[in-house]
Amino acid sequence: MRNSLVIIGAGGHGRVVHDAAVASDWNVIGFLDDTKEIGYKVNGVPIIGGISVIKQSSFLPESDFVIALGDQLSRRNISSQVLELGRRLAIVAHPSCIISPYAKIGNGTVLVGGCIVNANASIGSFCILNTASTIDHDGILASGVQISPGVNLAGWVYCGEDAYIGTGAAILPNVRIGARAIVGAGSVVIRDVPDDAIVAGNPARRLRPSPTRPKSQRI
Ligand SMILES: CC(C)(COP(=O)(O)OP(=O)(O)OC[C@H]1O[C@@H](n2cnc3c(N)ncnc32)[C@H](O)[C@@H]1OP(=O)(O)O)[C@@H](O)C(=O)NCCC(=O)NCCS
């Protein structure tokens, strides 16, 4: 069995991360979640505290952590806190994923069931590769990128920090998706997307700029 693991966030994504962690032999000892009572069990795993307990140096000093929050900014902030506190962020990859031995995966990144990461792709820290998504050869994901279920990135695609790709989207080869950009569900992206833009449709066109991430739960 691998090391003990604490999952931060016990919502829908947290339960998915728990499944992936158990299947890949992590010893999941609990969730941290500010919205649920200590002792309450989520799929058999107890809530063992709120998120702020990570600041206590005596709190499970040997455990790894993974941030299971879909919200991009929260995931980035809490991942940064964990690292600043000298704690380890785990890579959790469901065993059904196919990951090239020539691909790189950053700490804190989660790969849910059925993902494929092909040769020489580089995935940054605390990204989410959701169910059955594919990153083809030489793709680059900066930190915090979220790839929704069923997304396909062709070869040499680049996604900037905290970019969000909605479910079922397809990105053509060599396309560059800007930092914090949002690609709508089902879109076909044929040209570069600027930082902070929201694009959708086939071919994907700009809906409007998003200086702050609006309606964050909607994505
Ligand atoms: C693109 C997206 C972020 C836009 O959300 P929004 O800013 O709230 O946009 P609205 O719902 O107000 O729609 C604005 C316009 O864009 C269109 N639109 C929205 N999403 C679209 C999509 N995915 N494809 C095509 N057009 C879309 C709407 O029809 C609307 O057009 P109109 O002005 O002509 O009526 C959102 O629709 C989306 O696709 N999110 C991805 C969700 C997802 O994949 N979640 C996965 C969770 S694991």
Side-chain angles (χ1 to χ4, degrees), residues 70-129:
D71 179 73
Q72 308 287 81
L73 291 180
S74 307
R75 197 168 67 259
R76 170 170 293 280
N77 288 342
I78 296 168
S79 298
S80 308
Q81 269 188 49
V82 167
L83 294 174
E84 279 162 20
L85 291 161
R87 303 301 189 100
R88 285 189 306 269
L89 286 175
I91 298 170
V92 174
H94 193 279
S96 62
C97 297
I98 299 172
I99 303 170
S100 164
Y102 302 100
K104 290 184 197 149
I105 311 285
N107 288 339
T109 284
V110 170
L111 297 94
V112 174
C115 291
I116 299 178
V117 180
N118 273 344
N120 303 99
S122 175
I123 313 296
S125 302
F126 45 88
C127 292
I128 299 173
L129 271 60

Short mmCIF file of all heavy atoms in Angstrom, two decimals, residues 70-129:
data_model
loop_
_atom_site.label_atom_id
_atom_site.label_comp_id
_atom_site.label_asym_id
_atom_site.label_seq_id
_atom_site.Cartn_x
_atom_site.Cartn_y
_atom_site.Cartn_z
N GLY A 70 -13.09 21.51 -7.30
CA GLY A 70 -13.22 21.85 -8.71
C GLY A 70 -12.94 23.32 -8.98
O GLY A 70 -12.50 23.69 -10.06
N ASP A 71 -13.19 24.18 -7.99
CA ASP A 71 -12.99 25.61 -8.19
C ASP A 71 -11.50 25.91 -8.35
O ASP A 71 -10.68 25.59 -7.48
CB ASP A 71 -13.57 26.39 -7.00
CG ASP A 71 -13.35 27.87 -7.17
OD1 ASP A 71 -14.03 28.47 -8.01
OD2 ASP A 71 -12.46 28.42 -6.49
N GLN A 72 -11.17 26.55 -9.48
CA GLN A 72 -9.76 26.73 -9.85
C GLN A 72 -8.98 27.52 -8.80
O GLN A 72 -7.88 27.15 -8.41
CB GLN A 72 -9.64 27.47 -11.19
CG GLN A 72 -10.43 26.89 -12.33
CD GLN A 72 -9.83 25.61 -12.84
OE1 GLN A 72 -10.05 24.55 -12.25
NE2 GLN A 72 -9.09 25.70 -13.91
N LEU A 73 -9.57 28.66 -8.37
CA LEU A 73 -8.81 29.53 -7.47
C LEU A 73 -8.62 28.89 -6.11
O LEU A 73 -7.54 28.97 -5.51
CB LEU A 73 -9.51 30.89 -7.33
CG LEU A 73 -9.48 31.74 -8.60
CD1 LEU A 73 -10.20 33.06 -8.37
CD2 LEU A 73 -8.05 32.00 -9.06
N SER A 74 -9.66 28.23 -5.61
CA SER A 74 -9.53 27.56 -4.31
C SER A 74 -8.47 26.48 -4.39
O SER A 74 -7.65 26.31 -3.48
CB SER A 74 -10.85 26.92 -3.88
OG SER A 74 -11.87 27.85 -3.91
N ARG A 75 -8.48 25.73 -5.50
CA ARG A 75 -7.50 24.64 -5.62
C ARG A 75 -6.08 25.19 -5.64
O ARG A 75 -5.18 24.69 -4.99
CB ARG A 75 -7.79 23.80 -6.87
CG ARG A 75 -7.10 22.45 -6.85
CD ARG A 75 -7.60 21.50 -7.91
NE ARG A 75 -7.29 21.92 -9.26
CZ ARG A 75 -8.13 22.51 -10.10
NH1 ARG A 75 -9.37 22.73 -9.75
NH2 ARG A 75 -7.74 22.87 -11.32
N ARG A 76 -5.89 26.30 -6.38
CA ARG A 76 -4.56 26.92 -6.44
C ARG A 76 -4.15 27.44 -5.06
O ARG A 76 -3.04 27.21 -4.59
CB ARG A 76 -4.55 28.06 -7.46
CG ARG A 76 -3.31 28.93 -7.43
CD ARG A 76 -3.26 29.88 -8.61
NE ARG A 76 -3.09 29.17 -9.87
CZ ARG A 76 -1.92 28.72 -10.31
NH1 ARG A 76 -0.82 28.91 -9.62
NH2 ARG A 76 -1.84 28.08 -11.46
N ASN A 77 -5.07 28.16 -4.38
CA ASN A 77 -4.72 28.76 -3.09
C ASN A 77 -4.37 27.70 -2.06
O ASN A 77 -3.37 27.82 -1.34
CB ASN A 77 -5.88 29.61 -2.55
CG ASN A 77 -6.03 30.88 -3.36
OD1 ASN A 77 -5.11 31.27 -4.07
ND2 ASN A 77 -7.20 31.50 -3.30
N ILE A 78 -5.18 26.67 -1.98
CA ILE A 78 -4.94 25.66 -0.93
C ILE A 78 -3.72 24.81 -1.29
O ILE A 78 -2.93 24.46 -0.42
CB ILE A 78 -6.21 24.82 -0.68
CG1 ILE A 78 -7.29 25.75 -0.14
CG2 ILE A 78 -5.95 23.69 0.30
CD1 ILE A 78 -8.67 25.17 -0.10
N SER A 79 -3.52 24.53 -2.56
CA SER A 79 -2.31 23.78 -2.96
C SER A 79 -1.06 24.59 -2.57
O SER A 79 -0.09 24.04 -2.04
CB SER A 79 -2.28 23.54 -4.48
OG SER A 79 -3.37 22.76 -4.87
N SER A 80 -1.10 25.91 -2.83
CA SER A 80 0.06 26.75 -2.49
C SER A 80 0.30 26.73 -1.00
O SER A 80 1.44 26.63 -0.54
CB SER A 80 -0.16 28.19 -2.94
OG SER A 80 -0.52 28.20 -4.29
N GLN A 81 -0.79 26.82 -0.21
CA GLN A 81 -0.66 26.78 1.26
C GLN A 81 0.00 25.48 1.71
O GLN A 81 0.90 25.48 2.54
CB GLN A 81 -2.04 26.82 1.91
CG GLN A 81 -2.56 28.18 2.23
CD GLN A 81 -3.85 28.03 3.04
OE1 GLN A 81 -3.93 27.31 4.02
NE2 GLN A 81 -4.88 28.72 2.60
N VAL A 82 -0.48 24.36 1.14
CA VAL A 82 0.05 23.05 1.53
C VAL A 82 1.56 23.01 1.27
O VAL A 82 2.35 22.57 2.12
CB VAL A 82 -0.68 21.91 0.76
CG1 VAL A 82 0.05 20.58 0.90
CG2 VAL A 82 -2.11 21.78 1.25
N LEU A 83 1.97 23.52 0.12
CA LEU A 83 3.39 23.48 -0.23
C LEU A 83 4.21 24.42 0.66
O LEU A 83 5.29 24.08 1.12
CB LEU A 83 3.59 23.82 -1.71
CG LEU A 83 3.01 22.77 -2.67
CD1 LEU A 83 3.12 23.25 -4.12
CD2 LEU A 83 3.70 21.42 -2.51
N GLU A 84 3.65 25.63 0.92
CA GLU A 84 4.36 26.58 1.80
C GLU A 84 4.56 26.01 3.19
O GLU A 84 5.54 26.33 3.88
CB GLU A 84 3.58 27.90 1.90
CG GLU A 84 3.81 28.82 0.71
CD GLU A 84 2.74 29.90 0.59
OE1 GLU A 84 2.05 30.17 1.58
OE2 GLU A 84 2.59 30.45 -0.52
N LEU A 85 3.62 25.16 3.62
CA LEU A 85 3.73 24.56 4.95
C LEU A 85 4.67 23.35 4.95
O LEU A 85 4.82 22.66 5.96
CB LEU A 85 2.34 24.13 5.43
CG LEU A 85 1.39 25.29 5.74
CD1 LEU A 85 -0.06 24.84 5.76
CD2 LEU A 85 1.76 25.94 7.08
N GLY A 86 5.28 23.09 3.80
CA GLY A 86 6.24 21.99 3.72
C GLY A 86 5.58 20.62 3.62
O GLY A 86 6.22 19.59 3.85
N ARG A 87 4.27 20.61 3.28
CA ARG A 87 3.54 19.34 3.13
C ARG A 87 3.66 18.86 1.67
O ARG A 87 3.93 19.64 0.77
CB ARG A 87 2.07 19.51 3.49
CG ARG A 87 1.83 20.04 4.90
CD ARG A 87 2.45 19.11 5.92
NE ARG A 87 2.06 19.45 7.26
CZ ARG A 87 1.10 18.83 7.95
NH1 ARG A 87 0.43 17.83 7.42
NH2 ARG A 87 0.81 19.21 9.18
N ARG A 88 3.39 17.55 1.49
CA ARG A 88 3.51 16.97 0.15
C ARG A 88 2.15 16.88 -0.54
O ARG A 88 1.17 16.47 0.07
CB ARG A 88 4.07 15.54 0.24
CG ARG A 88 5.55 15.46 0.53
CD ARG A 88 6.00 14.02 0.36
NE ARG A 88 5.22 13.10 1.14
CZ ARG A 88 5.52 12.73 2.40
NH1 ARG A 88 6.61 13.20 2.98
NH2 ARG A 88 4.75 11.87 3.04
N LEU A 89 2.14 17.24 -1.83
CA LEU A 89 0.94 17.05 -2.64
C LEU A 89 1.12 15.77 -3.45
O LEU A 89 2.12 15.60 -4.15
CB LEU A 89 0.74 18.22 -3.61
CG LEU A 89 0.24 19.54 -3.02
CD1 LEU A 89 0.22 20.60 -4.11
CD2 LEU A 89 -1.15 19.38 -2.42
N ALA A 90 0.13 14.88 -3.35
CA ALA A 90 0.23 13.58 -4.04
C ALA A 90 -0.26 13.69 -5.49
O ALA A 90 -1.12 14.52 -5.79
CB ALA A 90 -0.64 12.56 -3.32
N ILE A 91 0.29 12.86 -6.34
CA ILE A 91 -0.30 12.63 -7.67
C ILE A 91 -1.23 11.43 -7.51
O ILE A 91 -0.78 10.37 -7.06
CB ILE A 91 0.78 12.31 -8.72
CG1 ILE A 91 1.74 13.48 -8.87
CG2 ILE A 91 0.14 11.92 -10.05
CD1 ILE A 91 2.98 13.16 -9.72
N VAL A 92 -2.50 11.60 -7.85
CA VAL A 92 -3.45 10.47 -7.75
C VAL A 92 -3.92 10.14 -9.16
O VAL A 92 -4.51 10.98 -9.84
CB VAL A 92 -4.65 10.82 -6.85
CG1 VAL A 92 -5.69 9.70 -6.88
CG2 VAL A 92 -4.19 11.09 -5.42
N ALA A 93 -3.63 8.93 -9.60
CA ALA A 93 -4.00 8.50 -10.96
C ALA A 93 -4.72 7.17 -10.88
O ALA A 93 -4.17 6.18 -10.38
CB ALA A 93 -2.75 8.37 -11.83
N HIS A 94 -5.96 7.14 -11.34
CA HIS A 94 -6.71 5.87 -11.35
C HIS A 94 -5.93 4.85 -12.21
O HIS A 94 -5.38 5.22 -13.26
CB HIS A 94 -8.11 6.11 -11.94
CG HIS A 94 -9.03 4.96 -11.73
ND1 HIS A 94 -9.00 3.84 -12.54
CD2 HIS A 94 -9.99 4.73 -10.80
CE1 HIS A 94 -9.91 2.97 -12.10
NE2 HIS A 94 -10.53 3.50 -11.06
N PRO A 95 -5.89 3.59 -11.79
CA PRO A 95 -5.08 2.60 -12.54
C PRO A 95 -5.55 2.36 -13.97
O PRO A 95 -4.80 1.80 -14.78
CB PRO A 95 -5.19 1.31 -11.70
CG PRO A 95 -6.27 1.56 -10.72
CD PRO A 95 -6.45 3.02 -10.56
N SER A 96 -6.77 2.79 -14.31
CA SER A 96 -7.23 2.62 -15.69
C SER A 96 -6.65 3.68 -16.64
O SER A 96 -6.89 3.63 -17.85
CB SER A 96 -8.76 2.69 -15.75
OG SER A 96 -9.19 3.96 -15.30
N CYS A 97 -5.91 4.65 -16.12
CA CYS A 97 -5.30 5.68 -16.98
C CYS A 97 -4.11 5.07 -17.73
O CYS A 97 -3.42 4.19 -17.20
CB CYS A 97 -4.80 6.86 -16.16
SG CYS A 97 -6.12 7.72 -15.29
N ILE A 98 -3.88 5.59 -18.92
CA ILE A 98 -2.69 5.18 -19.67
C ILE A 98 -1.79 6.41 -19.74
O ILE A 98 -2.17 7.43 -20.33
CB ILE A 98 -3.07 4.69 -21.08
CG1 ILE A 98 -4.01 3.49 -20.99
CG2 ILE A 98 -1.81 4.36 -21.89
CD1 ILE A 98 -4.59 3.05 -22.33
N ILE A 99 -0.64 6.31 -19.12
CA ILE A 99 0.28 7.47 -19.05
C ILE A 99 1.60 7.06 -19.66
O ILE A 99 2.24 6.10 -19.21
CB ILE A 99 0.48 7.90 -17.58
CG1 ILE A 99 -0.88 8.24 -16.93
CG2 ILE A 99 1.42 9.10 -17.50
CD1 ILE A 99 -0.82 8.45 -15.43
N SER A 100 2.01 7.77 -20.68
CA SER A 100 3.29 7.45 -21.33
C SER A 100 4.44 7.56 -20.32
O SER A 100 4.46 8.48 -19.50
CB SER A 100 3.56 8.45 -22.46
OG SER A 100 4.92 8.40 -22.85
N PRO A 101 5.39 6.64 -20.41
CA PRO A 101 6.58 6.78 -19.55
C PRO A 101 7.38 8.03 -19.88
O PRO A 101 8.23 8.44 -19.10
CB PRO A 101 7.39 5.51 -19.83
CG PRO A 101 6.84 4.94 -21.09
CD PRO A 101 5.44 5.43 -21.24
N TYR A 102 7.10 8.64 -21.01
CA TYR A 102 7.81 9.87 -21.41
C TYR A 102 6.99 11.12 -21.12
O TYR A 102 7.34 12.21 -21.57
CB TYR A 102 8.18 9.78 -22.90
CG TYR A 102 9.03 8.56 -23.16
CD1 TYR A 102 8.47 7.41 -23.70
CD2 TYR A 102 10.37 8.54 -22.81
CE1 TYR A 102 9.22 6.27 -23.90
CE2 TYR A 102 11.14 7.40 -23.00
CZ TYR A 102 10.56 6.27 -23.54
OH TYR A 102 11.31 5.15 -23.71
N ALA A 103 5.89 10.96 -20.40
CA ALA A 103 5.09 12.13 -20.00
C ALA A 103 5.50 12.55 -18.60
O ALA A 103 6.00 11.73 -17.82
CB ALA A 103 3.60 11.79 -20.02
N LYS A 104 5.29 13.84 -18.27
CA LYS A 104 5.58 14.33 -16.91
C LYS A 104 4.26 14.76 -16.27
O LYS A 104 3.44 15.42 -16.92
CB LYS A 104 6.49 15.55 -16.96
CG LYS A 104 7.90 15.24 -17.39
CD LYS A 104 8.73 16.53 -17.29
CE LYS A 104 10.00 16.38 -18.09
NZ LYS A 104 10.47 17.64 -18.65
N ILE A 105 4.12 14.45 -14.98
CA ILE A 105 2.91 14.84 -14.25
C ILE A 105 3.35 15.59 -12.99
O ILE A 105 4.18 15.10 -12.23
CB ILE A 105 2.09 13.59 -13.80
CG1 ILE A 105 1.87 12.59 -14.95
CG2 ILE A 105 0.76 14.02 -13.16
CD1 ILE A 105 0.86 12.95 -15.97
N GLY A 106 2.77 16.77 -12.77
CA GLY A 106 3.15 17.58 -11.61
C GLY A 106 2.46 17.15 -10.33
O GLY A 106 1.38 16.53 -10.36
N ASN A 107 3.05 17.52 -9.20
CA ASN A 107 2.50 17.14 -7.89
C ASN A 107 1.12 17.75 -7.68
O ASN A 107 0.86 18.89 -8.07
CB ASN A 107 3.43 17.62 -6.77
CG ASN A 107 4.68 16.78 -6.74
OD1 ASN A 107 4.71 15.66 -7.25
ND2 ASN A 107 5.73 17.32 -6.15
N GLY A 108 0.25 16.97 -7.03
CA GLY A 108 -1.09 17.44 -6.73
C GLY A 108 -2.08 17.24 -7.85
O GLY A 108 -3.26 17.58 -7.71
N THR A 109 -1.61 16.69 -8.97
CA THR A 109 -2.51 16.48 -10.11
C THR A 109 -3.29 15.18 -9.96
O THR A 109 -2.77 14.19 -9.45
CB THR A 109 -1.70 16.54 -11.43
OG1 THR A 109 -1.41 17.91 -11.69
CG2 THR A 109 -2.46 15.95 -12.61
N VAL A 110 -4.55 15.23 -10.37
CA VAL A 110 -5.44 14.06 -10.28
C VAL A 110 -5.83 13.62 -11.68
O VAL A 110 -6.21 14.45 -12.51
CB VAL A 110 -6.71 14.44 -9.49
CG1 VAL A 110 -7.75 13.35 -9.59
CG2 VAL A 110 -6.37 14.73 -8.04
N LEU A 111 -5.70 12.32 -11.93
CA LEU A 111 -6.13 11.74 -13.21
C LEU A 111 -7.22 10.72 -12.91
O LEU A 111 -6.97 9.70 -12.27
CB LEU A 111 -4.95 11.07 -13.94
CG LEU A 111 -3.81 12.01 -14.33
CD1 LEU A 111 -2.74 12.02 -13.26
CD2 LEU A 111 -3.20 11.58 -15.65
N VAL A 112 -8.43 11.05 -13.33
CA VAL A 112 -9.60 10.21 -13.05
C VAL A 112 -9.66 9.08 -14.09
O VAL A 112 -8.97 9.13 -15.11
CB VAL A 112 -10.84 11.13 -13.05
CG1 VAL A 112 -12.12 10.34 -12.91
CG2 VAL A 112 -10.74 12.14 -11.92
N GLY A 113 -10.52 8.09 -13.83
CA GLY A 113 -10.56 6.88 -14.64
C GLY A 113 -10.60 7.13 -16.15
O GLY A 113 -11.34 7.97 -16.63
N GLY A 114 -9.78 6.36 -16.86
CA GLY A 114 -9.83 6.34 -18.32
C GLY A 114 -9.07 7.43 -19.04
O GLY A 114 -9.15 7.54 -20.26
N CYS A 115 -8.28 8.22 -18.32
CA CYS A 115 -7.50 9.28 -18.99
C CYS A 115 -6.35 8.67 -19.77
O CYS A 115 -5.79 7.65 -19.38
CB CYS A 115 -6.85 10.22 -17.98
SG CYS A 115 -8.02 11.20 -17.12
N ILE A 116 -5.96 9.36 -20.83
CA ILE A 116 -4.77 8.96 -21.57
C ILE A 116 -3.86 10.19 -21.71
O ILE A 116 -4.32 11.27 -22.11
CB ILE A 116 -5.14 8.42 -22.97
CG1 ILE A 116 -6.04 7.18 -22.83
CG2 ILE A 116 -3.87 8.07 -23.76
CD1 ILE A 116 -6.52 6.59 -24.13
N VAL A 117 -2.60 10.01 -21.34
CA VAL A 117 -1.60 11.08 -21.49
C VAL A 117 -0.49 10.51 -22.36
O VAL A 117 0.19 9.57 -21.97
CB VAL A 117 -1.05 11.54 -20.13
CG1 VAL A 117 -0.03 12.65 -20.32
CG2 VAL A 117 -2.17 12.02 -19.21
N ASN A 118 -0.36 11.06 -23.55
CA ASN A 118 0.56 10.44 -24.52
C ASN A 118 1.98 11.01 -24.44
O ASN A 118 2.27 11.91 -23.64
CB ASN A 118 -0.02 10.57 -25.93
CG ASN A 118 -0.95 9.39 -26.24
OD1 ASN A 118 -0.92 8.37 -25.55
ND2 ASN A 118 -1.79 9.53 -27.25
N ALA A 119 2.83 10.47 -25.31
CA ALA A 119 4.28 10.68 -25.22
C ALA A 119 4.66 12.15 -25.14
O ALA A 119 4.15 12.99 -25.90
CB ALA A 119 4.97 10.05 -26.42
N ASN A 120 5.55 12.45 -24.22
CA ASN A 120 6.17 13.77 -24.07
C ASN A 120 5.21 14.89 -23.71
O ASN A 120 5.53 16.06 -23.85
CB ASN A 120 7.00 14.13 -25.31
CG ASN A 120 8.04 13.07 -25.59
OD1 ASN A 120 7.84 12.21 -26.44
ND2 ASN A 120 9.13 13.08 -24.86
N ALA A 121 4.01 14.52 -23.26
CA ALA A 121 3.12 15.55 -22.72
C ALA A 121 3.66 15.97 -21.36
O ALA A 121 4.34 15.21 -20.67
CB ALA A 121 1.70 15.00 -22.58
N SER A 122 3.36 17.20 -20.97
CA SER A 122 3.83 17.72 -19.69
C SER A 122 2.64 18.35 -18.95
O SER A 122 2.06 19.33 -19.42
CB SER A 122 4.92 18.76 -19.94
OG SER A 122 5.30 19.33 -18.73
N ILE A 123 2.27 17.74 -17.83
CA ILE A 123 1.09 18.18 -17.08
C ILE A 123 1.59 18.86 -15.81
O ILE A 123 2.37 18.27 -15.05
CB ILE A 123 0.20 16.96 -16.69
CG1 ILE A 123 -0.04 16.03 -17.89
CG2 ILE A 123 -1.11 17.43 -16.06
CD1 ILE A 123 -0.79 16.61 -19.03
N GLY A 124 1.13 20.08 -15.57
CA GLY A 124 1.62 20.85 -14.42
C GLY A 124 1.05 20.38 -13.10
O GLY A 124 0.35 19.36 -13.01
N SER A 125 1.35 21.16 -12.05
CA SER A 125 0.89 20.82 -10.70
C SER A 125 -0.59 21.14 -10.53
O SER A 125 -1.12 22.04 -11.18
CB SER A 125 1.66 21.65 -9.67
OG SER A 125 3.03 21.41 -9.82
N PHE A 126 -1.20 20.45 -9.62
CA PHE A 126 -2.62 20.53 -9.22
C PHE A 126 -3.58 20.78 -10.39
O PHE A 126 -4.50 21.59 -10.32
CB PHE A 126 -2.86 21.48 -8.04
CG PHE A 126 -2.17 22.82 -8.09
CD1 PHE A 126 -2.77 23.90 -8.70
CD2 PHE A 126 -0.93 22.99 -7.49
CE1 PHE A 126 -2.15 25.13 -8.75
CE2 PHE A 126 -0.29 24.23 -7.52
CZ PHE A 126 -0.91 25.31 -8.16
N CYS A 127 -3.35 20.02 -11.47
CA CYS A 127 -4.33 19.99 -12.57
C CYS A 127 -5.36 18.90 -12.28
O CYS A 127 -5.15 18.02 -11.44
CB CYS A 127 -3.63 19.63 -13.88
SG CYS A 127 -2.50 20.89 -14.49
N ILE A 128 -6.49 18.96 -12.98
CA ILE A 128 -7.46 17.86 -12.97
C ILE A 128 -7.60 17.36 -14.39
O ILE A 128 -7.89 18.14 -15.31
CB ILE A 128 -8.85 18.33 -12.49
CG1 ILE A 128 -8.79 18.86 -11.06
CG2 ILE A 128 -9.86 17.19 -12.60
CD1 ILE A 128 -10.10 19.50 -10.59
N LEU A 129 -7.37 16.06 -14.59
CA LEU A 129 -7.70 15.41 -15.86
C LEU A 129 -8.88 14.51 -15.55
O LEU A 129 -8.74 13.45 -14.93
CB LEU A 129 -6.51 14.59 -16.39
CG LEU A 129 -5.53 15.37 -17.29
CD1 LEU A 129 -4.92 16.54 -16.56
CD2 LEU A 129 -4.47 14.45 -17.82
#
